[in-house]
Amino acid sequence: MAGPNDRVARWGGRGGVLGALGWVAAGSMVANVCSYAIHLTASRWWLDTAEYSELAVGLSAMLVLTVAALALQAVVARAVVRRADPDRIRRVSVQTTLLVCLLVVVATAPTAWVTSMGVDTTAAALVAAPLLTVIGAGQGVLQGHSHFRLLGWVLAAVGVLRTVPVIAALALGAGPAGALLAGAGGVAVAAVVVLAAVRTAGHTRSSAHAGPGAADLDLFAVARASGVQLVLVVAASIDLLLSRTVLTPEDAGIYALGAIATKVAFWLPQAVGVVFYPGLADPATSRRSLMAAVGVVAAIGAILTLGAGLAGPLVPVLVRPDYEPLVPILWLFAYTGAMLAILQVALLSAIARSATAVSAVTWVVVAVEVAVIVTVVDGIIALASTAALAATGAAVTTTVLGLRRTRARDDVVAAATPE
């Protein structure tokens, strides 16, 4: 059976990497376009600014609770590379999903209070989290087996199935709560599709030949990875989650639309982390992979930031004149997303290397950001600037620490290797 290095070699050539990036990027692009379609259509046609801000905050709240899905995908992918028993992968996936169900019950009321949303809207937003955990497990299996073409199709299908019900509900006159509940129904269908894709790929039978490190697959491994994914999601969402607390409902709606540029710049390069993950997990290539991944993501981010600056004047034309304040600062939202994308790669590298303690740096930055937002911020520009500075500090510091630690490990290995 092929080991991790053999698996990487299969797609690791120049054409292989580009092909894998192409398939995953295409699938991610479809999913992201679908997600942005919700925001654009809701803000333009069906919801006023206050209602739209509630929908946007509800979607962000759901994202915070889906950290377990993101963590489970990373842990499952790592376990697959190490040839862990599929039965064990399924068992841990079920256990994680049940825990997420419990979290939904516990977190609904506190989330409603923190975000100033109704309990019904909050519950509708969070109910999809366990289903997304199932989807994360399936995508982790495909990622670990380097089935990037099939993974690309799955990402696209999940994006469409999550989006169409939401837009249909809004078009029929549903409010934020009804639209979010319709989206949960679409996620249920998407979970069935992902499980079918995994079965079609033929990776459901047990293996009698587990590789080194395959035993590192349990709820504690998922919990450690969840801590890293949680700080990433919180860092990417905290400004929007607190926007309704420090801004007027109208300004919060304007900020929510600007945050779409942040999400574009954040999620558009996510294919880079997915494809480079096996290299990040391999001690022989982790440093080179981290440098290459950060370079690619930074280049994409620079292009998106420039594009957002040029596209700013189109916002009131394409949406409504109410969003005129975004014209001069749309680039700032995109810049924040670009820095968060770099942070995402650095934190994925930490999970791949089992060096999750580095996430403490981002937690400190987020804590400072929250303190500044609730005590100082009182306008759209101030909130956007605070988010940009926090993202920059977290991304640069975490990346530098990651590169230093991989370099120190390389030096130790080189010193121990006989000439």
Side-chain angles (χ1 to χ4, degrees), residues 183-203:
V187 174
V189 177
V192 175
V193 170
V194 172
L195 293 178
V198 172
R199 183 170 294 277
T200 299
H203 297 297

Side-chain angles (χ1 to χ4, degrees), residues 21-358:
L21 282 172
W23 282 108
V24 177
S28 300
M29 178 73 72
V30 172
N32 289 329
V33 168
C34 289
S35 177
Y36 306 141
I38 294 176
H39 292 274
L40 291 175
T41 56
S43 61
R44 180 176 177 85
W45 290 314
W46 296 308
L47 301 178
D48 60 31
T49 53
E51 289 175 326
Y52 170 65
S53 70
E54 187 174 14
L55 176 67
V57 171
L59 292 171
S60 293
M62 178 183 64
L63 185 63
V64 171
L65 202 56
T66 56
V67 293
L70 301 173
L72 184 61
Q73 178 173 342
V75 171
V76 166
R78 186 177 64 194
V80 168
V81 170
R82 295 171 179 176
R83 304 193 300 281
D85 186 349
D87 287 337
R88 186 169 185 174
I89 292 176
R90 282 191 291 271
R91 183 166 58 251
V92 172
S93 299
V94 170
Q95 292 170 344
T96 304
T97 302
L98 293 176
L99 281 178
V100 172
C101 289
L102 179 61
L103 282 175
V104 169
V105 175
V106 173
T108 297
T111 302
W113 179 76
V114 170
T115 59
S116 301
M117 291 193 302
V119 174
D120 57 340
T121 304
T122 306
L126 301 185
V127 72
L131 297 167
L132 290 171
T133 304
V134 174
I135 291 173
Q139 292 179 168
V141 172
L142 297 177
Q143 181 183 0
H145 283 290
S146 300
H147 289 311
F148 293 118
R149 176 181 296 187
L150 181 56
L151 180 59
W153 281 105
V154 164
L155 290 171
V158 170
V160 171
L161 291 170
R162 290 180 62 180
T163 301
V164 171
V166 176
I167 294 179
L170 290 171
L172 292 174
L180 291 168
L181 192 59
V187 174
V189 177
V192 175
V193 170
V194 172
L195 293 178
V198 172
R199 183 170 294 277
T200 299
H203 297 297
T204 59
R205 290 176 295 181
S206 299
S207 171
H209 304 287
D216 186 22
L217 175 62
D218 52 29
L219 286 178
F220 293 106
V222 177
R224 289 192 296 270
S226 293
V228 179
Q229 294 287 3
L230 177 61
V231 72
L232 176 64
V233 172
V234 171
S237 307
I238 194 64
D239 58 325
L240 184 58
L241 289 174
L242 294 177
S243 63
R244 289 171 59 86
T245 302
V246 300
L247 302 177
T248 66
E250 291 72 21
D251 282 352
I254 294 171
Y255 192 90
L257 188 67
I260 294 178
T262 301
K263 296 179 184 298
V264 171
F266 178 37
W267 290 111
L268 191 60
Q270 67 179 334
V272 178
V274 172
V275 173
F276 275 85
Y277 188 80
L280 294 172
D282 185 349
T285 61
S286 59
R287 180 176 172 82
R288 294 197 308 273
S289 296
L290 179 56
M291 293 176 64
V294 168
V296 173
V297 170
I300 295 173
I303 294 172
L304 293 174
T305 301
L306 178 60
L310 296 175
L314 298 177
V315 172
V317 177
L318 296 177
V319 189
R320 288 204 305 262
D322 297 355
Y323 297 96
E324 180 77 27
L326 290 176
V327 171
I329 60 171
L330 191 63
W331 69 270
L332 186 59
F333 287 93
Y335 169 81
T336 300
M339 298 310 298
L340 289 170
I342 294 175
L343 175 63
Q344 182 182 42
V345 170
L347 291 177
L348 274 177
S349 174
I351 295 175
R353 294 180 290 108
S354 299
T356 53
V358 74

